């Protein structure tokens, strides 16, 4: 059945055996290293492109009426400047414009701990409505069938069609922090109806949107003329 | 070296090696190895198929390399060597999956990295590739890999149809179908797996009786 080939190394002394063990492991490690680096070099650009493409597609889904996108990054002291080229670490603001060039909304990224692992989302803020008008989950490992409803559940996603994130008088924080309430108890525009069976995931999303909006919306409002000008 | 030989095995021995992994010693249905991915990512056909292909790739490549260097590896460090080789190909597979589709990578999540500890692969390396020539080892990798893919895709198809009312993402029953959610949850995986084992054992016994 199986072609057997008994070719065990003959008895050797202790010393040369260790040498051969070290040699084998070193050679295999070098081969492994070369293979991994090769694969990384080969796929790296495609992976980067895929990720950027995925994000772009997601942004256009959260703000379906936009035709053009401009990317800004946040400098210290909350000043926005156009992002030139690519910067991995930059805090990015994606400003979307409609066909006539008017600002529709600004999309930002947010992340936070969910039930299983980090959840990454994007949401769109409309300066005109002073509200969050779009939402999409980029990355989640929440329980299939329960927690992953934050991605698809139509009733939950309705929460983000007009989620009030008005700023207070000194333009520094939200008038009403975003609250997650039990399903069916949503009364105010700044509340989120949770998903039955996925309370932890819903609350995690609420928390991260609240925190992120508290930081990002003031920056957007401060730089509104720049964002509207589009350059 | 000779790589990626077709299934037209030159000898019956080669063919038998291949068929062994595919059915007679199917890693999932007969030797019950690799349960973790089988239960965890078989909640949809696409997930199951991608996992099957990734595992097959790792199996074939690691079997090939291990068989190639089998006479140079001192037996005291063979496990370390095998795991290192397997981990290398898993990393390569992870990059390739990300390059093909971010969505698939998203849904398989941590289970791609966990191919490293899939007992099917280390099992084949230890039981076959470290004792046999290169070509039979590659065929053995393909056999076990396809066997695994076959089993996990069966699970994926059943679970997706029952649990989401869809096949490979295509809706089958329209919006009024109330999905049997438990089927895509872990417990559903165990139910279906048990039934699948029952079925394959019944089939095997039947075939044996007919043959006798």
């Amino acid at each position: 059945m199986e072609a057997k080939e008994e070719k065990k190394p003959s008895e050797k002394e202790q010393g040369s055996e260790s040498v051969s063990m070290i040699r084998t492991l070193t050679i295999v490690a070098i081969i492994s290293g070369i293979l991994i680096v090769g694969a990384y070099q080969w796929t790296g650009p495609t992976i980067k492109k895929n990720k950027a493409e995925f994000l772009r597609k997601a942004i256009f889904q959260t703000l379906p009426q936009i035709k053009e996108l401009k990317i800004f990054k946040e400098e210290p002291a909350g000043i926005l400047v156009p992002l030139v080229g690519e910067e991995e670490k930059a805090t990015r603001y994606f400003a979307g414009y409609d066909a006539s060039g008017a600002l529709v909304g600004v999309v930002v990224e947010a992340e936070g701990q969910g039930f299983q692992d980090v959840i990454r989302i994007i949401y769109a803020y409309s300066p005109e409505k002073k509200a969050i008008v779009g939402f999409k989950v980029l990355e989640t490992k929440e329980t299939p069938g329960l927690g992953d409803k934050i991605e698809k559940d139509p009733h939950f996603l309705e929460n983000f069609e007009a989620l009030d994130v008005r700023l207070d008088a000194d333009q520094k924080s939200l008038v009403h922090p975003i609250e997650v309430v039990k399903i069916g108890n949503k009364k105010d525009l700044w509340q989120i109806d949770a998903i039955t069976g996925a309370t932890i995931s819903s609350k995690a999303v609420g928390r991260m949107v609240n925190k992120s909006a508290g930081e990002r919306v003031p920056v957007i409002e401060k730089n509104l003329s720049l964002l509207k000008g589009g350059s | 070296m000779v790589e990626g030989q077709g299934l037209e095995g030159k000898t019956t021995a080669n063919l038998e090696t291949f068929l062994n992994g595919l059915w007679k010693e199917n890693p999932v249905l007969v030797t019950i190895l690799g349960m973790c991915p089988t239960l965890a990512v078989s909640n949809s056909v696409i997930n199951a198929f991608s996992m099957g292909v990734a595992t097959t790739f790792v199996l074939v490549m690691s079997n090939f390399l291990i068989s190639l260097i089998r006479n140079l590896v001192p037996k005291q460090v063979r496990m370390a060597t095998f795991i290192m080789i397997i981990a290398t190909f898993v990393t390569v597979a992870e990059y390739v999956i990300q390059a093909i589709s971010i969505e698939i990578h998203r849904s398989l999540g941590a289970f791609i990295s966990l191919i490293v500890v899939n007992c099917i692969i280390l099992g084949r390396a230890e039981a076959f590739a470290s004792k046999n020539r290169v070509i039979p080892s590659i065929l053995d990798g393909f056999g076990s890999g396809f066997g695994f893919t076959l089993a996990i895709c069966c699970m994926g198809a059943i679970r997706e149809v029952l649990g989401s009312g869809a096949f490979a993402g295509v809706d089958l029953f329209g919006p009024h179908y109330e999905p049997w959610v438990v089927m895509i949850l872990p417990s559903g995986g165990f139910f279906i797996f048990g039934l699948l084992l029952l079925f394959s054992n019944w089939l095997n016994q039947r075939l044996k009786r007919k043959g006798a």
Side-chain angles (χ1 to χ4, degrees):
Chain A
M1 288 241 292
E2 295 173 358
K4 281 221 174 86
E5 248 193 337
E6 297 292 339
K7 215 170 147 193
K8 294 271 160 58
S10 54
E11 294 288 317
K12 286 180 194 162
E13 34 178 307
Q14 209 69 16
S16 75
E17 220 168 64
S18 327
V19 170
S20 91
M21 282 195 272
I22 292 168
R23 198 184 50 209
T24 309
L25 285 176
T26 314
I27 292 171
V28 172
I30 290 170
I31 296 176
S32 298
I34 292 170
L35 281 170
I36 290 175
V37 171
Y40 182 75
Q41 294 287 349
W42 179 50
T43 55
T46 324
I47 293 175
K48 221 167 159 194
K49 212 180 77 204
N50 279 355
K51 281 193 171 153
E53 184 58 35
F54 184 72
L55 180 63
R56 204 181 155 77
K57 234 167 54 191
I59 291 170
F60 277 87
Q61 277 167 5
T62 49
L63 281 175
Q65 61 275 57
I66 62 172
K67 290 278 172 290
E68 204 199 333
L69 204 62
K70 287 200 173 105
I71 308 172
F72 296 85
K73 70 167 179 176
E74 189 180 334
E75 296 271 280
I79 311 287
L80 290 187
V81 292
L83 178 69
V84 188
E86 280 176 31
E87 243 178 89
E88 307 264 303
K89 292 252 159 61
T91 309
R92 291 176 293 183
Y93 292 75
F94 302 86
Y97 306 87
D98 64 11
S100 64
L103 181 69
V104 179
V106 183
V107 176
V108 293
E109 300 158 285
E111 61 176 50
Q113 181 64 41
F115 184 56
Q116 311 251 24
D117 201 350
V118 171
I119 302 174
R120 285 184 57 227
I121 59 156
I122 53 172
Y123 62 87
Y125 170 73
S126 157
E128 191 193 328
K129 294 180 185 148
K130 309 268 178 248
I132 289 173
V133 293
F135 167 86
K136 189 166 169 63
V137 177
L138 290 183
E139 215 177 297
T140 162
K141 297 198 174 76
E142 304 298 280
T143 323
L146 296 170
D148 73 342
K149 282 190 188 160
I150 56 169
E151 225 175 327
K152 298 169 219 146
D153 192 80
H155 184 72
F156 183 69
L157 296 179
E158 258 171 39
N159 287 310
F160 300 95
E161 278 166 15
L163 186 66
D164 185 90
V165 284
R166 214 168 286 278
L167 294 179
D168 62 7
D170 57 357
Q171 298 283 298
K172 289 242 169 64
S173 53
L174 305 182
V175 182
H176 310 287
I178 293 163
E179 292 166 1
V180 179
V181 294
K182 252 194 180 159
I183 187 154
N185 286 352
K186 175 169 171 149
K187 285 193 285 300
D188 299 305
L189 282 172
W190 55 88
Q191 289 179 329
I192 296 176
D193 248 348
I195 302 169
T196 318
T199 320
I200 294 176
S201 306
S202 314
K203 282 197 170 151
V205 170
R207 246 194 335 265
M208 75 182 84
V209 172
N210 181 43
K211 180 166 174 286
S212 166
E215 291 162 5
R216 305 295 197 89
V217 173
V219 176
I220 295 171
E221 287 293 338
K222 199 170 155 188
N223 294 277
L224 206 53
S225 57
L226 168 77
L227 290 165
K228 274 189 175 152
S231 57
Chain B
M1 286 304 296
V2 202
E3 200 192 330
Q5 279 278 346
L7 308 185
E8 302 84 45
K10 287 170 198 148
T11 60
T12 25
N14 278 355
L15 188 66
E16 202 160 304
T17 306
F18 175 76
L19 289 178
N20 247 349
L22 191 64
W23 185 254
K24 258 185 258 165
E25 285 169 22
N26 185 299
V28 175
L29 299 175
V30 179
T31 53
I32 325 274
L33 290 174
M35 285 301 94
C36 162
T38 308
L39 292 168
V41 293
S42 61
N43 48 12
S44 82
V45 177
I46 291 176
N47 280 359
F49 183 72
S50 328
M51 179 48 83
V53 171
T55 307
T56 307
F57 166 79
V58 176
L59 253 170
V60 171
M61 294 308 285
S62 58
N63 262 12
F64 161 68
L65 195 57
I66 287 166
S67 158
L68 199 65
I69 60 168
R70 67 189 184 280
N71 294 330
L72 308 171
V73 181
K75 65 175 188 307
Q76 296 94 325
V77 290
R78 67 182 197 288
M79 285 292 163
T81 315
F82 295 168
I83 285 289
M84 197 146 68
I85 290 172
I86 294 166
T88 303
F89 288 115
V90 170
T91 312
V92 171
E94 179 154 19
Y95 286 139
V96 172
I97 291 174
Q98 269 185 302
I100 293 171
S101 161
I102 294 283
E103 275 95 351
I104 292 177
H105 186 262
R106 278 179 52 183
S107 52
L108 294 181
F111 291 103
I112 300 174
S113 327
L114 286 175
I115 299 176
V116 178
V117 288
N118 189 326
C119 328
I120 301 171
I121 298 168
L122 192 59
R124 291 330 288 169
E126 172 76 1
F128 199 93
S130 62
K131 295 176 195 142
N132 288 285
R133 284 175 212 269
V134 173
I135 291 175
S137 298
I138 292 175
L139 285 172
D140 179 73
F142 272 115
S144 297
F146 288 163
F148 174 70
T149 309
L150 181 78
I152 195 174
C153 282
C154 280
M155 297 259 305
I158 299 171
R159 290 179 70 189
E160 192 181 352
V161 169
L162 296 178
S164 330
F167 184 84
V170 182
D171 209 351
L172 291 180
F173 306 123
H176 297 296
Y177 176 72
E178 185 59 43
W180 198 2
V181 174
V182 71
M183 283 306 163
I184 50 171
L185 294 178
S187 43
F190 282 101
F191 290 146
I192 299 297
F193 183 59
L195 292 175
L196 212 59
L197 278 186
L198 187 71
F199 175 73
S200 77
N201 279 338
W202 170 81
L203 196 69
N204 269 337
Q205 276 183 0
R206 212 182 129 90
L207 288 176
K208 215 189 272 170
R209 231 177 294 146
K210 271 198 176 163

